[in-house]
């Protein structure tokens, strides 16, 4: 970090100069002692429009993103209706976002049984990656794939060069519920780490047969990293993310009946949380993405029954603060956050020469934030459509003061 001036023209960074070199600029914003960082690229967001706009939608999702310093989101192919498994569905989603988005919105195509022929058209239409589920997704219009389905899809994916993002849980390892339960420990036991291990092993086996880039989303257990390291040592292009909720919360701290914490894979023990942090700091985990997966409050209100409610955590606006809160107590500087949340996800999305850095020629996507200021999360003040989040009442460090998208001010918290 250093003091500098960033010169912007036509939506891009023209040059980065010394702090007192403002040239002939007529419009100057001074960030004072705050941090000026590349805008966050969140590669894992469920916007749910069209079809389930009552769950979120582009207007509220992108306003929440801007308020959290996120300048680019990649919208997952589900839980919208239709799912983004055809070019027609992609076009419908783009049309919805066109007049509503206040940050950059890019899209991920879906891989489902029988749509291998749609992969090339979706790639040609501009999706940044593809996504599949190895276990049931929770919505009927986005069924999970089998190894046989993936053997059909992999050659088509290989021709695109785009990464396949994978929800890595093996359904054969999941344990069926014996009925309603308010005990978080029961839900946790139903989705053991072995499901994650087995699913990643399947993907590695497929990559050895057809070596396409694969990205494991929302890693919940550091014990899975031995498989990932071994695959990388053999030269396989395997990357992995984790999420703020796995880095913030722990199973032994979740009250029974607190369904706002439910997600899949589940939040695991405090020992797992600490191990994920070590892996992130050491570089074994490539990046952090929100997996923002909201729903109407009624879908979380199931009398505390973890098996009867929606599994997803709303956190898009809070990702930067949540990650920084954990990073600072572990001695990490803001440069780590910029790598985990800006540079690495930009690379995953194919934007390594456009986004994720403050450098000449890059998009002028910038967040200004104060790392020392704290706030207590008031869920009612979040820009998300709904205000159910496990972060409610939690004190976090790091306040977003301004967000610039293509050099234009998209959000500010100044009076």
């Amino acid at each position: 970090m250093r003091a500098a001036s960033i010169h912007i023209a036509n939506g891009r960074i023209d040059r980065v100069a010394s702090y007192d070199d403002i040239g002939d600029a007529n419009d100057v914003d001074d960030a004072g002692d705050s941090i000026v960082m590349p805008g966050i690229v969140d590669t894992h967001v469920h916007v749910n429009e069209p079809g389930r706009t009552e769950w979120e939608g582009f207007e509220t999702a992108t306003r929440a993103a801007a308020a959290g310093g996120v300048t680019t989101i990649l919208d997952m192919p589900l839980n919208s209706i239709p799912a983004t498994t055809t070019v027609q569905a992609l076009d419908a989603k783009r049309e919805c976002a066109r007049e509503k988005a206040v940050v950059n919105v890019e899209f991920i195509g879906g891989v489902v049984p029988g749509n291998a022929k749609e992969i090339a058209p979706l790639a040609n239409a501009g999706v940044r990656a593809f996504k599949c589920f190895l276990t049931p997704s929770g919505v009927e219009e986005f069924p999970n794939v089998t190894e046989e389905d993936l053997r059909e899809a992999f050659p088509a994916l290989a021709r695109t060069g785009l990464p396949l993002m994978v929800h890595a849980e093996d359904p054969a390892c999941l344990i069926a519920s014996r009925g309603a339960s308010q005990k978080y420990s029961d839900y946790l036991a139903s989705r053991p780490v072995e499901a994650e291990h087995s699913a990643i092993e399947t993907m590695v086996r497929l990559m050895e047969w057809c070596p396409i880039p694969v990205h494991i989303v929302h890693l919940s257990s550091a014990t899975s990293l031995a498989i990932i390291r071994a695959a990388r040592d053999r030269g396989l292009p395997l990357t992995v993310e984790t999420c703020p909720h796995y880095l913030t919360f722990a199973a032994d701290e979740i009250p029974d009946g607190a369904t706002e914490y439910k997600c899949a894979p589940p939040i695991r023990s405090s020992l797992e949380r600490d191990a994920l942090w070590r892996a992130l700091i050491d570089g074994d985990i490539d990046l952090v993405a929100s997996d923002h997966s909201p729903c109407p409050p009624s879908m979380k209100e199931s009398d505390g029954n973890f098996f009867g409610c929606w599994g997803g955590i709303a956190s898009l606006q809070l990702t930067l603060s949540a990650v920084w809160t954990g990073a600072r107590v572990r001695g990490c500087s803001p440069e780590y956050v910029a790598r985990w949340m800006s540079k690495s996800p930009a690379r995953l999305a194919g934007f390594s020469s456009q986004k994720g850095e403050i450098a000449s020629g890059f998009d002028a996507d910038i967040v200004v934030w104060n790392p020392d200021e704290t706030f207590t999360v008031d869920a009612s003040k979040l820009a998300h459509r709904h205000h159910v989040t496990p972060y409610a009442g939690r004190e976090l460090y790091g306040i977003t003061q301004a967000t610039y998208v293509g050099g234009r001010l998209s959000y500010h918290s100044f009076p």
Side-chain angles (χ1 to χ4, degrees):
M1 290 193 295
R2 62 184 176 90
S5 60
I6 302 169
H7 297 251
I8 296 170
N10 301 317
R12 295 184 178 271
I13 297 171
D14 183 58
R15 63 190 178 99
V16 180
S18 62
Y19 173 76
D20 54 2
D21 178 5
I22 62 171
D24 57 358
N26 296 317
D27 187 8
V28 179
D29 292 345
D30 193 332
D33 292 328
S34 296
I35 290 174
V36 181
M37 193 177 87
I40 292 167
V41 178
D42 192 336
T43 53
H44 195 153
V45 178
H46 295 270
V47 177
N48 309 326
E49 185 177 3
R52 289 191 175 97
T53 310
E54 72 276 13
W55 291 25
E56 187 62 274
F58 287 104
E59 182 177 355
T60 52
T62 59
R63 283 196 286 110
V70 179
T71 53
T72 299
I73 64 170
L74 267 62
D75 177 45
M76 282 285 161
L78 70 164
N79 304 303
S80 57
I81 302 175
T84 319
T85 54
T86 65
V87 172
Q88 184 179 9
L90 174 63
D91 289 342
K93 190 170 279 194
R94 278 193 172 130
E95 187 61 32
C96 289
R98 197 181 312 280
E99 300 299 326
K100 299 175 183 177
V102 298
V103 301
N104 304 307
V105 178
E106 299 289 341
F107 300 94
I108 298 168
V111 174
V112 296
N115 86 321
K117 292 181 180 178
E118 301 290 343
I119 289 172
L122 280 164
N124 293 335
V127 298
R128 309 303 305 189
F130 287 89
K131 169 73 179 290
C132 71
F133 273 68
L134 299 189
T135 192
S137 71
V139 292
E140 62 182 13
E141 66 277 356
F142 201 90
N144 61 297
V145 291
T146 64
E147 184 169 346
E148 183 179 353
D149 295 322
L150 288 173
R151 287 187 180 275
E152 182 182 355
F154 260 51
L157 289 164
R159 288 188 286 273
T160 72
L162 296 175
L164 175 64
M165 299 177 170
V166 181
H167 180 123
E169 287 183 291
D170 183 344
C173 299
L174 302 183
I175 300 169
S177 148
R178 296 181 179 179
S181 176
Q182 295 184 341
K183 292 183 177 181
Y184 183 76
S185 59
D186 287 344
Y187 174 64
L188 177 61
S190 75
R191 304 186 89 101
V193 293
E194 289 78 11
E196 190 169 84
H197 298 169
S198 177
I200 295 172
E201 287 169 348
T202 295
M203 298 312 301
V204 170
R205 185 166 61 250
L206 286 164
M207 292 174 74
E208 289 173 330
W209 166 69
C210 181
I212 70 167
V214 167
H215 179 73
I216 304 300
V217 298
H218 48 49
L219 191 81
S220 67
S221 175
T223 62
S224 300
L225 287 166
I227 306 166
I228 293 170
R229 290 190 199 101
R232 288 169 167 171
D233 288 345
R234 297 198 298 277
L236 296 178
L238 183 59
T239 56
V240 60
E241 72 186 44
T242 193
C243 303
H245 38 276
Y246 301 122
L247 299 170
T248 301
F249 306 114
D252 29 300
E253 301 165 0
I254 297 175
D256 287 343
T259 55
E260 63 270 23
Y261 291 89
K262 181 183 176 182
C263 59
I267 295 164
R268 304 193 188 278
S269 70
S270 55
L271 292 176
E272 285 279 23
R273 175 180 59 193
D274 292 342
L276 288 170
W277 268 111
R278 287 193 297 273
L280 183 63
I281 293 167
D282 290 346
D284 287 331
I285 295 174
D286 299 275
L287 61 95
V288 179
S290 70
D291 189 14
H292 177 69
S293 185
C295 66
S298 61
M299 295 180 67
K300 283 288 191 182
E301 295 167 357
S302 58
D303 296 324
N305 173 20
F306 280 99
F307 294 100
C309 67
W310 178 255
I313 288 177
S315 62
L316 181 56
Q317 186 171 334
L318 301 170
T319 302
L320 171 58
S321 300
V323 173
W324 172 241
T325 298
R328 65 183 295 279
V329 299
R330 291 169 173 83
C332 297
S333 66
E335 289 97 330
Y336 282 82
V337 177
R339 184 175 75 242
W340 299 331
M341 303 182 72
S342 302
K343 187 171 184 174
S344 292
R347 183 187 304 119
L348 174 67
F351 287 126
S352 57
S353 62
Q354 294 175 253
K355 302 182 186 295
E357 294 186 46
I358 295 178
S360 177
F362 278 68
D363 293 345
D365 296 343
I366 292 167
V367 54
V368 179
W369 61 287
N370 185 325
D372 300 318
E373 196 171 350
T374 65
F375 67 102
T376 300
V377 177
D378 181 346
S380 69
K381 294 182 179 179
L382 297 175
H384 307 152
R385 183 175 297 280
H386 302 294
H387 301 140
V388 177
T389 178
Y391 291 94
R394 198 173 188 91
E395 185 179 54
L396 299 177
Y397 277 83
I399 290 185
T400 300
Q401 296 174 320
T403 302
Y404 297 84
V405 179
R408 295 179 178 273
L409 187 65
S410 181
Y411 168 84
H412 71 87
S413 61
F414 303 115

